[in-house]
Amino acid sequence: MPLPALEASPVLAALVGGSAAAAATALGTLPAWFARRLEQRALDTMLGFGAGVMLAASAFSLVLPGIEAARAQGAGQWGAGLVVGFAILLGAALIMALDRALPHEHFIKGPEGGAAGRLRRTWLFVFAICLHNLPEGLAIGAGYASGFNHGTALATGIALQDIPEGLVVAVALIAAGYGRGRAVLVGMASGLAEPVGALLGVGVLVAAPLLLPVGLGFAAGAMLFVVSHEIIPESHRQGHENFATAGLMLGFVLMMLLDTALA
């Protein structure tokens, strides 16, 4: 697809970026077909890497552009920060509410959410992974609403971290007792939340551009909640904190470089 066509249409660019992230998730699940067993230390390092990418994406591709957008709309120094800060809290609050209401299963804590006991574990895992991937899609959409380069940096960084993330999901499902085929298919399907979230994020912000600072902050808050509530605790559960932290630092620096180079 010609690059000018994507630059001219934020919605089309967000769909392509979200689909690329979903494809990266699917690609990451494929080694689970062949790998006998991955060391938990490697899995925790991959989770840490994903957390680092999401932290840097939240800061450099969402929060800072959101503050800049608020200033461009006439907000002062304090006002711009307060607008984006409120939106961060709102985004985190929404994902927290969904986490409590939507039936799903954590790999650590077991079933959570309303009526979790009435659904098969496969669906509980699917809902948990989609809760994780939706904020990434929203972030991609919000990024493209703020500018093509910001969106491209976000989509690239998230796609890179989705490759090991897809593998972690598939391996975790196999460890939970699922066959390799089902684990890979569930992992692939979980990535579909990202183009949906990307279209939702860019659609709202293109239709109402004055909401851009709020939308960027909202996406950042949703991702920060997932990092703090899900990924970091998961990566530290087996005593490999040093490796998880090293992965986080590497992911943060890589995303920072992508953002400064592309955006």
Side-chain angles (χ1 to χ4, degrees):
M1 186 174 297
L3 188 61
L6 295 179
E7 292 179 336
S9 174
V11 175
L12 181 59
L15 176 60
V16 171
S19 299
T25 300
L27 178 65
T29 65
L30 294 179
W33 277 104
F34 312 104
R36 286 188 175 182
R37 184 179 181 274
L38 289 178
E39 289 188 4
Q40 188 62 50
R41 184 172 62 186
L43 295 176
D44 290 343
T45 304
M46 293 178 191
L47 285 171
F49 176 82
V53 169
M54 293 174 74
L55 285 173
S58 298
F60 296 106
S61 296
L62 295 171
V63 173
L64 293 180
I67 292 173
E68 292 174 6
R71 288 174 179 166
Q73 293 177 6
Q77 299 282 7
W78 280 94
L82 287 172
V83 167
V84 176
F86 173 78
I88 290 172
L89 297 177
L90 187 64
L94 176 63
I95 301 301
M96 181 184 293
L98 289 175
D99 182 74
R100 292 184 175 182
L102 186 67
H104 61 284
E105 180 157 348
H106 292 283
F107 295 117
I108 309 174
K109 296 180 289 185
E112 286 190 346
R118 302 177 188 175
L119 295 174
R120 296 182 63 180
R121 290 188 75 201
T122 303
W123 286 109
L124 295 178
F125 280 121
V126 169
F127 291 153
I129 299 163
C130 288
L131 264 177
H132 181 176
N133 286 343
L134 181 62
E136 296 177 3
L138 290 172
I140 292 172
Y144 277 113
S146 68
F148 181 79
N149 288 338
H150 280 301
T152 301
L154 267 166
T156 302
I158 288 174
L160 286 174
Q161 69 99 12
D162 275 345
I163 296 174
E165 182 179 279
L167 177 59
V168 169
V169 167
V171 169
L173 287 169
I174 292 171
Y178 292 95
R180 292 180 184 273
R182 176 175 288 188
V184 168
L185 289 176
V186 170
M188 288 181 171
S190 70
L192 297 177
E194 289 173 301
V196 172
L199 286 175
L200 178 62
V202 75
V204 170
L205 297 182
V206 167
L210 290 178
L211 291 177
L212 181 60
V214 175
L216 291 168
F218 183 92
M223 288 218 298
L224 288 172
F225 177 85
V226 168
V227 170
S228 176
H229 190 71
E230 303 284 347
I231 302 180
I232 291 178
E234 178 79 14
S235 68
H236 287 197
R237 75 191 190 282
Q238 298 288 344
H240 301 130
E241 293 92 341
N242 289 340
F243 289 90
T245 301
L248 184 148
M249 302 300 292
L250 179 62
F252 188 95
V253 170
L254 176 62
M255 185 63 212
M256 180 191 71
L257 292 173
L258 283 172
D259 189 87
T260 53
L262 295 176

